[in-house]
DNA sequence: CGCCCATTTGACAGCTTTCAAATCGCGTGG
DNA sequence: CCACGCGATTTGAAAGCTGTCAAATGGGCG
C-alpha cells in the first residue's frame, strides 16, 4: 500500500461528493485542478472588499470568515468558511468582492483558476450540480442567519451559532468528534451575531452556568446536544445535509463530551 | 407595425439582459420558454416551506417576499422579490424550500420548468452567466441585510430598506420614477428588519418629521435622495448594478418627488 | 519576565419591546 | 349615500434586553 500525501483539494472533492453524485473521473479531475497553495495567518486578509480576481480560493484547513463594515465602523461577520468551502466563486465571470475575508485561525488555502473550475463544470453535470447546490446552501445559511439576527435573543443566537459551527465542522471533517475545537473569539462571535463582545461574554457564561456548554481554552464541550439544540432553536434542515449525514451526534443523546479540565 | 402584448417573461428577459451579454437568440429563447401563468392575491402562499417542486416561479408583476419563522413564532422576511426575479431556483436539481414565499401585493407569476431553464442555460453561456450572477447578487443582498440587522439602529435600517427597495424597483421597471409605490405594510417592514411594527411606526414618523420621506397612502415620496441615502448608510455597490444603471435618480440631487396630498 | 490580546466585571444609559387601547382608512353591504 | 367592519396605523407608559464605558483579570507567546 502506497503512502500518499493528502491531495491539496481533498476537502473540496469530499464536499462536492456530498453535494451531488460524482463519478470517479469527476473526483480525479477536481483533485487534479492546478492550484497555488498558500498559508494565511490568523486575522490576515484572504480577500479584500473591492477585489476582483480571476481565481477562487478554496479552504484546505482552518476557519475563515467574511465580513462587512457599516458606515459607523461596526463590523459584521456574514459567513464562516470551513475546509472545502469555495471563497469568491461568483459564477462564470469575476465580480467585485462585496466583503472582506479573513482567517480566524491559520488557514491553508488553494487558489484555483476560475476558468479551470468553470471549464471543469462545463464537462461534468455532477460538478455543475454540486457547485449550484453549494451556493444555494450558502444562501440558505445566510437566510437562517438573518432569522437569527432579527428574531432571536442573545442567548438563542449564541447557542445557534455554536450548533451551526459544530454541525458544519463535523460534516466537513467527516464525523462527529467528541470535542470541538472552537477558536472563534468572543468578539468575533459578537460581530457574527450583532452583539457586543461584552454581552457575548455574559451570554456565554450563562450558557455555561446552565450546563449547555462547557470546556476550557480552545476546546468546547457540549454535554447534551439535544438541550443545546433546543435552547438554540436549531433545526438543521436549512443546512440541507444529505440524509446519510446525521444532524446530531449519532446515538448520543446525552454525554457527547470528552472530559477536560474545567 | 404589429401590436403585440407584453410577453409573459419580458421582465425576466430584461433582467437577464442586465446581468450578462445576451444574444437576440438568447432573449428570444427566454421569452419562448413554456410557462404556466397564474395570479396570486396579497398574502397568499406562492411557495410553502418544505415544498420541493420541479418548476421555478418567475415574478411578472407585483411584489413578494420570502419569510422564515422562528420557534417562538417570530416571523422574519429574508428577501423581497420583484418583477423578473426567479423564485425557487435551487440549481439543477430541486431542493426542499427553506422558506415560504407570499405576495405583498397581487402578483402575476409564471411557472417555468426547471429542466427547460437548465437546458436553455446549457446551450447558452450568456444565460448561464446571467443566472449565476443573479444568484450571486441575491446572496450579496442577503449579506447586506445581515449587516443591516446586526449593526444598524432602527432609523438606519428602515431608511436602508426604503433605499434598497426604491433602487431595485426602479431598476426592475427600467428607470427611476418620480414617485414610488410602496405597498409594504409597517408590520412587514418590521418583519424584514427585526423590529416590531410599533417601533417601525415610530421610526417612520421620525423619518417623516426629518423630511427624509413623505407621501400619503401607498405612494412614498423621497424629497431628497442623497439625504435619505446618507441617513441609511446606503451604498449601492452591493447590488452590483451595471455601470450604465445609475444608483440614484439621474441628475436630481434634490426634488426627486411628485407632489401629492400630504 | 513582560507584553498584548482576550476575557471578565460593574454600573448605568438607551434603544426596543410589550401591552393596551384609540384612531384611521377603506372596501363592503344596506 | 351612509353605516359597518376589519386591518393598518398611532399613541402612551413601563419593562427589558443590550450597549457603553472603564477597569481589572487572565492566558499565551516571545
Amino acid at each position: 500500500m502506497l503512502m500518499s500525501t493528502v491531495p491539496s483539494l481533498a476537502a473540496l472533492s469530499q464536499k462536492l461528493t456530498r453535494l451531488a453524485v460524482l463519478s470517479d473521473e469527476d473526483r480525479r479531475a477536481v483533485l487534479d485542478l492546478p492550484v497555488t497553495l498558500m498559508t494565511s495567518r490568523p486575522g490576515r486578509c484572504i480577500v479584500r472588499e473591492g477585489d476582483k480576481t480571476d481565481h477562487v480560493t478554496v479552504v484546505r484547513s482552518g476557519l475563515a470568515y467574511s465580513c462587512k463594515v457599516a458606515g459607523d465602523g461596526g463590523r459584521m461577520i456574514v459567513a464562516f468558511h470551513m475546509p472545502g468551502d469555495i471563497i469568491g466563486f461568483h459564477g462564470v465571470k469575476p465580480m467585485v468582492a462585496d466583503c472582506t475575508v479573513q482567517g480566524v485561525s491559520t488557514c491553508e488555502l488553494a487558489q484555483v483558476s476560475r476558468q479551470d473550475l468553470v471549464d471543469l463544470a462545463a464537462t461534468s453535470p455532477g460538478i455543475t450540480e454540486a457547485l449550484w447546490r453549494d451556493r444555494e446552501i450558502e444562501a440558505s445559511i445566510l437566510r437562517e442567519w438573518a432569522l437569527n439576527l432579527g428574531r432571536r435573543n442573545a442567548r438563542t443566537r449564541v447557542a445557534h451559532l455554536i450548533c451551526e459551527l459544530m454541525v458544519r465542522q463535523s460534516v466537513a471533517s467527516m464525523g462527529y468528534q467528541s470535542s470541538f475545537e472552537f477558536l472563534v473569539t468572543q468578539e468575533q462571535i459578537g460581530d457574527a451575531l450583532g452583539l457586543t463582545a461584552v454581552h457575548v461574554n455574559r451570554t456565554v457564561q450563562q450558557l455555561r452556568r446552565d450546563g449547555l456548554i462547557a470546556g476550557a481554552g480552545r476546546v468546547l464541550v457540549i454535554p447534551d446536544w439535544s438541550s443545546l439544540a433546543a435552547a438554540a432553536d436549531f433545526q438543521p434542515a436549512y443546512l440541507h445535509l444529505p440524509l446519510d449525514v446525521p444532524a446530531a451526534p449519532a446515538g448520543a443523546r446525552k454525554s457527547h463530551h470528552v472530559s477536560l479540565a474545567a
Side-chain angles (χ1 to χ4, degrees), chain A residues 57-244:
Chain A
T57 303
V58 175
V59 181
R60 300 201 299 134
S61 71
L63 183 65
Y65 61 84
S66 294
C67 77
K68 302 182 63 126
V69 324
D72 66 355
R75 230 174 51 128
M76 184 75 203
I77 292 178
V78 296
F80 284 104
H81 306 288
M82 312 225 161
D85 283 357
I86 303 173
I87 295 170
F89 180 54
H90 305 304
V92 179
K93 296 283 176 61
M95 287 174 74
V96 175
D98 53 51
C99 49
T100 296
V101 182
Q102 295 173 277
V104 169
S105 61
T106 297
C107 293
E108 293 180 293
L109 306 167
Q111 289 187 345
V112 177
S113 150
R114 164 178 278 103
Q115 196 56 54
D116 287 349
L117 192 56
V118 168
D119 289 346
L120 176 54
T123 66
S124 162
I127 289 177
T128 299
E129 182 186 340
L131 288 175
W132 271 111
R133 186 170 282 257
D134 177 50
R135 300 309 287 169
E136 208 54 51
I137 291 173
E138 184 176 314
S140 179
I141 290 173
L142 232 20
R143 287 189 287 267
E144 183 72 20
W145 218 310
L147 176 61
N148 214 20
L149 288 165
R151 287 299 184 219
R152 300 205 256 241
N153 61 22
R155 177 187 161 94
T156 310
R157 272 187 243 182
V158 171
H160 194 281
L161 180 63
I162 290 172
C163 286
E164 179 182 311
L165 292 180
M166 200 285 184
V167 169
R168 287 178 58 198
Q169 181 162 315
S170 298
V171 170
S173 61
M174 309 301 261
Y176 289 89
Q177 299 158 316
S178 44
S179 66
F180 180 38
E181 190 171 34
F182 199 81
L183 299 169
V184 187
T185 270
Q186 289 185 0
E187 182 167 8
Q188 290 167 341
I189 296 176
D191 285 341
L193 298 176
L195 301 168
T196 58
V198 171
H199 198 60
V200 168
N201 181 278
R202 294 194 240 264
T203 306
V204 165
Q205 289 179 58
Q206 189 195 344
L207 291 175
R208 268 207 275 262
R209 274 198 305 278
D210 295 348
L212 294 174
I213 59 175
R218 49 179 54 62
V219 176
L220 179 71
V221 175
I222 300 178
D224 179 2
W225 171 259
S226 58
S227 297
L228 182 63
D233 190 18
F234 180 74
Q235 317 215 245
Y238 75 96
L239 292 172
H240 296 278
L241 300 176
L243 291 180
D244 56 347

